[in-house]
Amino acid sequence: MGDTPPRSADAGTGASRVITDHARPAGASARPAEDVPTSRTPGGGALGGGGGLPRRRAFGAERAFRGLTLAAGTAVLVVIVAIAVFLVAKAVPALRANTVSFWTFEGWFPNDPEPRFGIGALAFGTVLSAVLALLVAVPVALGIALYLSHYAPRRLGNALGFLIDLLAAVPSVVFGLWGRDYFSGPVADLSAWLNRYFGWLPLFGGDGPYGASMLLGALVLAIMVLPIITSLSREVFRQTPTANEEAALALGATRWEMIRTAVLPYGRPGVIAAVMLGLGRALGETIALALTLGITFNISFNIIDNGGNTIAANIANAFGEANDTGRGALIASGLMLFAITLIVNITARAIIHRRREFTESAA
Amino acid sequence: MSTLTTPSPRAVDLRARRLPGYAPIGIAAAALALAAAAVYGGGIGGPVLVVVLGAVLYLAGLYAASNAVEGRRAARNRTWSALIHSAFVLAVLPLASVVWTLVSKGAERLDGNFFGTSMNNIGARDPNGGAYHAIVGTLEQVGIATLITVPLGILCAIYVVEYGRGRFAFAIRFFVDVMTGIPSIVSGLFVLAFWVLIVSPVFNDGRPGFSGFAAALALSVLMLPTIVRSTEEMLRLVPAPLREGAYALGVPKWKTILRVVLPTALPGIVTGVMLAIARAAGETAPVLLVAGGGAAINLNPFENNQSSLALFVYQQAGDASRYAPARAWTAALTLVALVLILTVAAKLLARRNQLSR
């Protein structure tokens, strides 16, 4: 709502700023007259006079600078490829040494003389914790995003949005510490209660002890991804064309109907992308889960008994006593995580990209 | 507006089109009372359940009352509005709890000793010990990572915005986006495999060596995409007439970029860099994998183990000493303060930036 006026006002100041800033570069541009020949001498020899257009620059600064930036751009691609290559290089020997199936074995004993380790339970735990976290976080995050963009007074919305952005910056180890030292108590109580009244569901079965469970890990994770999903979706919701919103309201829609017919359809791709990014973050989260999960290696849908483990948390926990094969095994599991997050992220980016094209062509 | 009602919707004979202002409050009170009666009467829970059940009953009651009085559309509007507000309350509670726990537990060891000493020779029964070595480690690692990443990231963004054409530039943009999502532990493993296990033995007598520099490398991998993205956006915001003016005056393109475009976009770029630094300072996993952590002060980032604040928090959290939690919380408070100061400064800078959206 009313997003356009400040933006256009900003653009105005930007334009006026252009002029004031221009004074300096313009002054600087007087300098090339004396600058250019010196920079050209090594490449093109003495041109003298210097009245003409600078033509000779086969090896000039322009080339060099362009080459420099090209190298920096290539470095990004090199890093991505290098990540994959080095992880594979270190993982393969460990996978060769593995005496059981990497995919199905439930356990992690890579440091034994006969290494045995499997990714199955870890991958399952990673996906389960991330999905549970998103199930909790997404509805709440969308609620907050809508509240901030369409319900709260504008000033309050901006201030709270700022606060949410700050929370996104809080390091994960802090959330992990909070989850382990404080939040595990209430969650244990909740688990006991769930077990007592809903124990007939496999999710809440078992007989304790409760506390350091998948539920705790997933809830802490949910609190961590909440700010990310909120701030991205809020941004999308705020970009809804005011004309659409006003048209809906003018036709007699209630506020909710306006949101449902104008805001949500417009924001859907953005929200999907935000959720995918949150998913990527949840899948890769390490320290918070290493601190809150009770480390076990089994595939179980029981989310309230002590236990649960994820790929990333296992790396953090098992790294200390890992020998050479152990490190290779952890790197192999990291490679799996890399592959999973890569798929999630590429999907998210593809969705965002499609949306970008869509909005640009619509505008 | 002027209709007479009692709080309970059942007893009301309303013909007006809108619920009176106090009806929601009345419904809330009734819902809470009903929930309390049910919960305590049945003995199935405590005050938390009362609130949760009360909220559910309130939503149901509000929908029923509004449906009866105002019609279905208004009822939906009210219910969703209440849901959205309650989502907000639901999210504020844990976040407030985190802040409160952090401040109250972190204040315990907030003394000079904590900031002036390391954990060297601190046993399980020693109540003091501090994070000096960890703070030094964080500053050095993040500093080196910044030195590596900022030139690389800005040049990469310049390529993408100013020079890049076609598929290659598109590929770089796409993979920078993808790189944003790389988990920190994977970047730690990458540097472990690449630097610690393969490169560092070359000048370390054949033994793999943990070091603060390795942690800086891992942090650079995490910072790079953030810096490229934000710089890219800022460069795109620089008005085209500015560039064209410089070209018209005969300034070569590279000099236009360095003298005109970059200075104009500078505040925004600095904001992005600061946000990236704040994110990197809070990372634990990569430091754990490649710097190893250590109890003593190690000022040399290129040799031997180094700790960092985030790693210090993690290690103290896993320590069996009964004095360890207090140290962990104070270090966490310090870390959050550091990160938040950087973030707030960056956001304020962004707000003053005239190019920003």
Side-chain angles (χ1 to χ4, degrees):
Chain A
M1 302 267 282
D3 213 12
T4 332
R7 201 179 290 170
S8 58
D10 269 354
T13 53
S16 67
R17 183 71 188 160
V18 164
I19 314 244
T20 53
D21 252 5
H22 199 82
R24 196 150 40 94
S29 73
R31 245 172 278 146
E34 63 210 349
D35 242 20
V36 165
T38 57
S39 71
R40 217 188 304 137
T41 13
L47 269 178
L53 289 171
R55 269 285 139 229
R56 300 248 238 122
R57 44 186 64 242
F59 300 101
E62 179 66 38
R63 268 297 169 91
F65 187 67
R66 175 195 274 265
L68 200 63
T69 59
L70 177 63
T74 317
V76 172
L77 298 184
V78 170
V79 167
I80 287 264
V81 174
I83 290 177
V85 167
F86 279 101
L87 291 189
V88 169
K90 280 288 164 188
V92 166
L95 290 177
R96 285 246 174 84
N98 196 0
T99 54
V100 291
S101 163
F102 179 64
W103 301 106
T104 54
F105 182 67
E106 295 181 19
W108 198 264
F109 310 102
N111 303 318
D112 293 358
E114 288 194 347
R116 291 173 299 144
F117 55 91
I119 195 86
L122 296 177
F124 171 81
T126 304
V127 173
L128 179 66
S129 64
V131 168
L132 279 178
L134 285 190
L135 280 182
V136 177
V138 169
V140 179
L142 292 187
I144 306 173
L146 280 178
Y147 175 77
L148 293 179
S149 65
H150 285 84
Y151 281 85
R154 198 175 159 70
R155 269 172 175 280
L156 184 70
N158 281 341
L160 290 174
F162 185 75
L163 214 61
I164 297 274
D165 285 352
L166 285 190
L167 283 167
V170 171
S172 59
V173 68
V174 175
F175 284 106
L177 194 61
W178 173 79
R180 202 198 59 161
D181 280 9
Y182 173 80
F183 198 44
S184 56
V187 170
D189 293 345
L190 174 68
S191 303
W193 185 84
L194 284 172
N195 183 258
R196 192 155 148 219
Y197 293 98
F198 298 94
W200 43 272
L201 279 172
L203 280 181
F204 306 125
D207 37 28
Y210 311 116
S213 59
M214 205 48 132
L215 184 64
L216 175 66
L219 286 179
V220 169
L221 212 48
I223 294 170
M224 289 177 55
V225 296
L226 192 77
I228 300 164
I229 301 180
T230 304
S231 76
L232 287 174
S233 341
R234 168 175 166 257
E235 205 56 41
V236 179
F237 290 150
R238 278 175 44 164
Q239 283 168 5
T240 314
T242 320
N244 293 12
E245 295 173 355
E246 284 169 356
L249 291 175
L251 288 170
T254 60
R255 188 183 293 208
W256 167 247
E257 283 164 343
M258 181 271 281
I259 287 174
R260 217 192 43 176
T261 54
V263 178
L264 291 184
Y266 177 85
R268 188 182 298 138
V271 169
I272 292 173
V275 171
M276 296 290 272
L277 288 182
L279 179 64
R281 174 101 187 232
L283 287 170
E285 179 46 50
T286 309
I287 293 299
L289 290 176
L291 283 171
T292 49
L293 293 180
I295 304 303
T296 55
F297 288 92
N298 55 337
I299 295 181
S300 156
F301 275 102
N302 183 328
I303 60 170
I304 59 170
D305 273 355
N306 274 0
N309 205 346
T310 70
I311 295 177
N314 179 54
I315 295 173
N317 279 321
F319 181 74
E321 53 250 26
N323 61 14
D324 218 25
T325 319
R327 282 181 192 152
L330 292 178
I331 288 174
S333 69
L335 192 63
M336 279 294 299
L337 182 64
F338 182 55
I340 296 175
T341 50
L342 213 58
I343 293 168
V344 169
N345 277 308
I346 288 182
T347 317
R349 295 301 165 181
I351 294 172
I352 296 179
H353 189 75
R354 227 176 50 198
R355 172 174 180 276
R356 189 183 290 156
E357 277 173 359
F358 165 72
T359 46
E360 267 169 18
S361 65
Chain B
M1 286 301 219
S2 57
T3 4
L4 293 175
T5 54
T6 58
S8 164
R10 289 290 175 76
V12 177
D13 175 24
L14 264 191
R15 293 281 145 195
R17 285 194 300 277
R18 290 188 59 79
L19 278 178
Y22 52 80
I25 303 172
I27 295 171
L32 269 182
L34 204 61
V39 168
Y40 287 117
I44 55 170
V48 180
L49 187 63
V50 172
V51 174
V52 173
L53 193 62
V56 173
L57 287 176
Y58 169 71
L59 287 174
L62 189 66
Y63 184 84
S66 182
N67 195 18
V69 178
E70 302 171 328
R72 207 159 59 94
R73 291 176 54 211
R76 280 203 180 154
N77 186 31
R78 272 184 193 276
T79 315
W80 277 106
S81 174
L83 264 177
I84 284 169
H85 282 87
S86 53
F88 182 72
V89 175
L90 193 65
V92 163
L93 284 178
L95 296 174
S97 162
V98 172
V99 173
W100 170 245
T101 320
L102 188 64
V103 172
S104 63
K105 290 201 179 186
E108 198 179 318
R109 276 298 315 278
L110 207 59
D111 47 33
N113 183 274
F114 184 80
F115 294 103
T117 60
S118 74
M119 287 300 291
N120 207 9
N121 291 330
I122 299 291
R125 289 161 189 242
D126 295 321
N128 38 16
Y132 179 75
H133 61 304
I135 296 172
V136 168
T138 293
L139 294 181
E140 284 187 357
Q141 288 154 18
V142 173
I144 294 174
T146 312
L147 286 183
I148 297 173
T149 323
V150 167
L152 197 61
I154 292 181
L155 285 175
C156 178
I158 289 176
Y159 176 77
V160 170
V161 176
E162 306 280 344
Y163 290 111
R165 294 275 176 279
R167 267 174 196 281
F168 190 64
F170 177 79
I172 292 180
R173 287 195 57 192
F174 186 77
F175 279 104
V176 166
D177 276 355
V178 168
M179 214 174 151
T180 318
I182 288 184
S184 59
I185 192 110
V186 169
S187 108
L189 285 175
F190 162 59
V191 173
L192 176 76
F194 159 66
W195 185 264
V196 177
L197 295 183
I198 295 181
V199 178
S200 78
V202 173
F203 45 84
N204 202 24
D205 308 331
R207 281 177 292 110
F210 294 126
S211 64
F213 181 69
L217 284 181
L219 295 182
S220 330
V221 174
L222 295 172
M223 285 170 74
L224 187 62
T226 324
I227 292 184
V228 174
R229 287 288 310 176
S230 60
T231 308
E232 202 188 310
E233 268 173 32
M234 282 302 135
L235 291 182
R236 281 186 205 286
L237 286 173
V238 174
L242 207 55
R243 288 192 184 93
E244 287 155 6
Y247 296 154
L249 288 168
V251 183
K253 186 163 184 177
W254 66 276
K255 199 168 268 185
T256 309
I257 294 170
L258 286 183
R259 293 259 175 91
V260 180
V261 177
L262 276 187
T264 315
L266 195 61
I269 295 174
V270 173
T271 301
V273 170
M274 286 167 82
L275 289 178
I277 293 176
R279 185 185 160 201
E283 288 295 351
T284 317
V287 186
L288 170 74
L289 293 190
V290 301
I297 300 168
N298 176 14
L299 294 178
N300 181 359
F302 296 99
E303 232 174 306
N304 293 333
N305 288 13
Q306 215 176 25
S307 193
S308 84
L309 262 178
L311 181 56
F312 181 84
V313 175
Y314 178 62
Q315 287 178 332
Q316 291 301 316
D319 198 308
S321 161
R322 73 186 170 98
Y323 301 107
R327 287 194 287 260
W329 278 106
T330 308
L333 184 62
T334 317
L335 182 60
V336 169
L338 180 74
V339 168
L340 286 195
I341 288 171
L342 272 172
T343 313
V344 171
K347 300 256 171 193
L348 291 182
L349 197 66
R351 205 167 272 193
R352 292 186 54 176
N353 175 16
Q354 274 118 341
L355 276 182
S356 70
R357 288 149 286 172

